[in-house]
Amino acid sequence: MIMTIVMIDNHNREINYLRISITDRCNLRCVYCMPKEGVSFIGHEDILSYEEMLRIVKVAVKTGIVKVRVTGGEPLVRRGVTDFLTSLTKVVGLRDISLTTNGILLEDYAEEIFNAGIRRINVSLDSLSADRYRDITRGGDINRVIRGIRKAHDTGFSPIKINVVAIKGFNDDEIIDLAKLTIEKPYQIRFIEFMPVGESTLENSLGYLSNDEVIKNINSFSPLEPVIPTRRDKADGPASLYTLNGAKGEIGFISAISHEFCNSCNRLRLTADGHLRACLLSDEPTTDLKTPLRDGCSNSELEILIRDLISRKPGSYQTGCQQIHRRKCATNMSSIGG
Ligand code: SAM
Ligand code: SF4
């Protein structure tokens, strides 16, 4: 029988979700995520091996982790990713393993990922226009992503969630078209507010757009009906879910900046260089797991380090819109994994 461990932190939150950035490399350069040039990547020797990541996951399960999301950088550019996913599905105690990808390589990998045992996938797609997609990703081919999403659908992934960073002056005139995708397709379109993390910038003509504005915009087309969250949805994360009348899919809003949801944050994040983070939007507190791991620490010592970080997880990150320029996080989103 598998014993379920429940870890409640000092702010009465159950910490059960680990996101792993398996690489900080990426085949795109989205303007809101990475600088155009001069990105300093983690040296190969400093990137955790899959074995090291698996060991951390197995110990994290002993501290209450039951869900893992594999992300990046772009996870599909790291060699051996599908074998790693297969190994994750064998970790006793994990109940849910998912993947976030930009979709560029998804058509090639969808079947392998599915055969590894993964069913839940998030794909990032910020525009339906090929030119805009190329501009925001600094060179990406939207057709590859669309083919990847179709392949994921045909292969049987469910749910398929499509992440959209809504940006004023870039894709705000496409919000209704993106929302309308849910009418015919069983996808969950998730509007994510731009977060001021690392070296990410919005170019001069582009700006932060709150999800209140996105919701207003969609409501002007057709009223959004709230989806009554099931227990599973509640455990699923911070998105508030809605649907359009008669639609096959759903629309989610992740409003980290305008409506802080720290009081329900259940996450830890492992960066590719082995740092465990307690908060997406703040570099503190963070614990280096790679050094003790490579110095030969025991699993019990690793477990103490993870529990200690959980005990220091902050109750709230003060990120009102007015504070959007007060960056507390110097690490790029591509290293943290979103
Ligand atoms: N490369 C993969 C992808 O793009 O889906 C996975 C990593 S990416 C860092 C994970 C998510 O973070 C993506 O949906 C991306 O749009 C989002 N993201 C990146 N930078 C962001 C920022 N500054 N604010 C909000 N979301 C961001
Ligand atoms: Fe790469 Fe994802 Fe960041 Fe875009 S958002 S640069 S695809 S890691």
Side-chain angles (χ1 to χ4, degrees):
M1 201 177 70
I2 301 164
M3 224 176 53
T4 310
I5 296 157
V6 176
M7 170 65 99
I8 306 291
D9 77 354
N10 292 334
H11 305 278
N12 209 26
R13 301 168 298 196
E14 184 180 338
I15 309 302
N16 56 15
Y17 185 7
L18 175 67
R19 296 169 70 105
I20 308 176
S21 171
I22 63 169
T23 177
D24 63 339
R25 276 33 177 206
C26 187
N27 45 6
L28 297 178
R29 290 283 181 279
C30 302
V31 298
Y32 51 74
C33 179
M34 278 185 170
K36 189 173 180 183
E37 283 157 354
V39 192
S40 41
F41 291 110
I42 303 166
H44 284 289
E45 63 291 353
D46 285 322
I47 293 192
L48 291 183
S49 66
Y50 287 133
E51 291 71 25
E52 288 169 326
M53 288 180 191
L54 273 172
R55 187 167 162 212
I56 291 172
V57 170
K58 285 176 188 164
V59 173
V61 166
K62 293 188 186 162
T63 72
I65 296 299
V66 294
K67 287 180 58 168
V68 165
R69 176 171 293 276
V70 172
T71 173
E74 173 47 37
L76 300 187
V77 302
R78 181 157 176 187
R79 216 174 295 147
V81 58
T82 49
D83 289 340
F84 176 60
L85 291 169
T86 306
S87 307
L88 277 178
T89 62
K90 295 188 177 137
V91 173
V92 177
L94 280 188
R95 294 205 292 261
D96 185 341
I97 300 151
S98 55
L99 178 80
T100 300
T101 170
N102 61 27
I104 293 287
L105 297 173
L106 187 55
E107 187 182 23
D108 306 337
Y109 277 98
E111 279 173 6
E112 265 186 63
I113 299 167
F114 193 85
N115 293 338
I118 309 302
R119 298 292 177 269
R120 293 155 55 73
I121 197 158
N122 287 20
V123 185
S124 301
L125 179 63
D126 302 317
S127 173
L128 299 172
S129 141
D131 290 346
R132 281 186 182 176
Y133 181 80
R134 195 190 49 242
D135 289 349
I136 200 86
T137 57
R138 299 197 183 99
D141 175 1
I142 196 172
N143 293 314
R144 295 182 71 114
V145 184
I146 289 170
R147 287 201 303 271
I149 293 172
R150 275 199 203 121
K151 183 70 180 276
H153 180 250
D154 295 346
T155 307
F157 285 93
S158 177
I160 296 175
K161 299 183 183 178
I162 299 180
N163 290 352
V164 178
V165 180
I167 298 170
K168 198 173 272 178
F170 166 65
N171 58 1
D172 47 349
D173 59 344
E174 289 189 76
I175 286 167
I176 293 174
D177 287 340
L178 285 158
K180 273 160 82 175
L181 285 180
T182 63
I183 295 176
E184 294 299 328
K185 303 282 182 196
Y187 305 147
Q188 187 188 109
I189 307 286
R190 294 143 52 94
F191 290 98
I192 302 174
E193 289 180 344
F194 167 75
M195 290 173 250
V197 168
E199 297 167 281
S200 60
T201 52
L202 288 180
E203 288 168 357
N204 290 342
S205 53
L206 305 178
Y208 166 80
L209 185 67
S210 81
N211 267 340
D212 289 345
E213 292 176 75
V214 176
I215 290 171
K216 207 159 110 193
N217 198 338
I218 300 173
N219 272 329
S220 72
F221 158 69
S222 174
L224 283 164
E225 297 164 12
V227 173
I228 309 297
T230 59
R231 273 192 66 199
R232 187 187 168 97
D233 293 329
K234 277 186 197 154
D236 204 27
S240 26
L241 294 181
Y242 294 81
T243 182
L244 293 173
N245 189 14
K248 292 188 175 139
E250 293 173 340
I251 302 173
F253 297 96
I254 301 179
S255 314
I257 301 300
S258 63
H259 298 82
E260 183 188 278
F261 41 72
C262 302
N263 61 357
S264 60
C265 179
N266 59 352
R267 297 164 184 209
L268 299 177
R269 292 177 165 83
L270 181 65
T271 60
D273 64 351
H275 285 78
L276 193 64
R277 296 172 64 94
C279 177
L280 168 62
L281 291 170
S282 173
D283 286 332
E284 288 301 329
T286 300
T287 293
D288 172 15
L289 296 182
K290 185 186 72 206
T291 306
L293 204 64
R294 293 189 179 174
D295 284 350
C297 77
S298 67
N299 283 351
S300 314
E301 285 163 334
L302 210 49
E303 187 177 332
I304 289 169
L305 289 172
I306 298 174
R307 285 181 183 274
D308 171 65
L309 184 76
I310 293 174
S311 76
R312 292 186 288 127
K313 190 171 159 67
S316 150
Y317 174 78
Q318 296 298 321
T319 51
C321 296
Q322 70 282 8
Q323 289 172 312
I324 198 159
H325 294 299
R326 283 178 49 190
R327 290 168 188 259
K328 283 190 179 179
C329 175
T331 313
N332 283 343
M333 195 68 106
S334 51
S335 303
I336 307 170

